[in-house]
Amino acid sequence: MCHNQNMPSVNMRQLRDTKKLKAWLRAGKTVELRERSRLIARIVPEREPTKKAVEWPDFAARAKEILGDRILPNIILEDRGRY
């Protein structure tokens, strides 16, 4: 029986304690799943994808292009007092 001492390991019964398992996975640790000291699987935490900066369109310029100088009434706010 040879397993990594730095890697946390749980057996099938200990899987009921999900708090500890979730804490290890959130910390980025790989967890070994064992049954009677025999390695069954390794649970590997998902790597966070690097988030790209989102480039938003210029909504004011688009509205100006579509509507020109027209000003549309805000019907939703005007009708709000009726109900």
Side-chain angles (χ1 to χ4, degrees):
M1 177 173 81
C2 177
H3 64 276
N4 190 346
Q5 293 296 329
N6 296 333
M7 190 179 308
S9 120
V10 293
N11 62 29
M12 295 300 283
R13 280 192 188 272
Q14 290 172 328
L15 271 180
R16 293 179 186 162
D17 182 17
T18 59
K19 280 185 179 181
K20 191 184 296 185
L21 179 64
K22 286 179 187 178
W24 284 333
L25 292 172
R26 284 190 185 117
K29 295 183 179 182
T30 300
V31 180
E32 291 181 341
L33 179 60
R34 297 182 170 273
E35 184 177 47
R36 295 184 180 153
S37 300
R38 200 178 95 235
L39 180 65
I40 296 175
R42 285 192 180 92
I43 303 172
V44 181
E46 185 175 10
R47 302 280 183 234
E48 289 286 327
T50 55
K51 295 186 179 184
K52 297 177 186 174
V54 176
E55 190 172 318
W56 290 91
D58 185 5
F59 291 112
R62 279 183 130 177
K64 180 87 171 164
E65 181 182 321
I66 294 170
L67 299 174
D69 292 331
R70 289 184 292 168
I71 298 173
L72 298 177
N74 195 341
I75 298 170
I76 296 172
L77 291 177
E78 291 173 5
D79 284 349
R80 199 175 254 184
R82 289 184 9 194
Y83 299 105

